[in-house]
Amino acid sequence: MAKKKDNYYFDQFVHLVDYSCQAAEFLNNVALNYNQNEMEALKDEIHLIEHEADLEKHKVVEILVKEFLPPLDREDILSILRDVDDVTDAVEDVVLTMYFYNVAKTPPVLKQFTRVIYDCTIALKALMVEFVHFNKSKKIGELISTVLKYEQICDGLYASSLRELYTEETDIREILIWTDLYNRLEKCCDLCGKVSSTVETTYMKNI
């Protein structure tokens, strides 16, 4: 197990992923209770989550710059911080895009997407909680696989949803809007997968 003073970065990985979980839960609630008239306020609310996460990430980077001997390579710590931040940004981006496009109605599959995204961020958080024990953990590989499982589920939803959109929808505006939104929804889980891959690479370098 890492020394107590070295746990700082691992604790911050968990803390920052928690913002991703908050954003994903927020997005899921937006989908479950979608109201076009509330989107202006909702996009401001999720931006507060993203902004706070961004501030926290910058605090960690400032400490990392001054750190003499961090517990992992600086590049690896920075990569994980950036990748996690990208997840939170991507989730916020879905809400912002729905607001920008003034989406009037949502397809039923949206709720499936947002639930998988939320589950994927929860799985990512579980991975980060375990990551501090990388020297002796027997669960890292399993936890990485769980994140990737949700990424694969999201990929399947993306493929079937895009196919349905292009075979059943006739309104070109709806086709353009949901092509973009499905891309952005899939990106959320893709980025979770990227974090897990970065963690895996870092783990393999340090065992």
Side-chain angles (χ1 to χ4, degrees), residues 8-9 26 45 56 102 126 139 157 172 182 200 203 207:
Y8 171 76
Y9 295 102
F26 188 97
E45 287 182 39
E56 290 298 318
N102 195 29
K139 299 193 298 182
L157 277 175
I172 188 63
Y182 289 155
E200 183 177 41
Y203 165 66
I207 57 174

Side-chain angles (χ1 to χ4, degrees), residues 74-84 198:
R74 294 177 194 277
E75 294 82 1
D76 293 331
I77 294 173
L78 191 58
S79 291
I80 293 172
L81 293 174
R82 287 174 173 169
D83 289 350
V84 172
T198 303

Side-chain angles (χ1 to χ4, degrees), residues 54-98:
D54 205 38
L55 292 176
E56 290 298 318
K57 184 199 76 172
H58 285 301
K59 288 179 185 177
V60 181
V61 172
E62 288 175 1
I63 291 172
L64 180 62
V65 168
K66 301 173 184 177
E67 185 78 64
F68 178 57
L69 285 174
L72 303 169
D73 287 348
R74 294 177 194 277
E75 294 82 1
D76 293 331
I77 294 173
L78 191 58
S79 291
I80 293 172
L81 293 174
R82 287 174 173 169
D83 289 350
V84 172
D85 188 57
D86 286 345
V87 173
T88 307
D89 288 347
V91 176
E92 181 203 17
D93 195 47
V94 174
V95 177
L96 291 177
T97 302
M98 292 177 74

Side-chain angles (χ1 to χ4, degrees), residues 15-34:
H15 183 50
L16 291 171
V17 171
D18 190 57
Y19 285 110
S20 300
C21 294
Q22 290 178 43
E25 183 178 22
F26 188 97
L27 173 60
N28 191 49
N29 287 332
V30 168
L32 289 173
N33 307 286
Y34 189 73

Side-chain angles (χ1 to χ4, degrees), residues 103-147:
V103 170
K105 61 179 181 178
T106 61
V109 74
L110 176 64
K111 297 174 185 178
Q112 296 179 53
F113 267 114
T114 59
R115 180 66 204 194
V116 171
I117 291 167
Y118 176 64
D119 289 341
C120 197
T121 60
I122 293 297
L124 187 60
K125 183 176 178 181
L127 171 60
M128 288 306 191
V129 169
E130 182 66 18
F131 190 34
V132 68
H133 307 296
F134 68 88
N135 281 325
K136 61 180 183 179
S137 176
K138 299 182 183 301
K139 299 193 298 182
I140 294 288
E142 178 184 346
L143 292 169
I144 289 171
S145 294
T146 301
V147 176

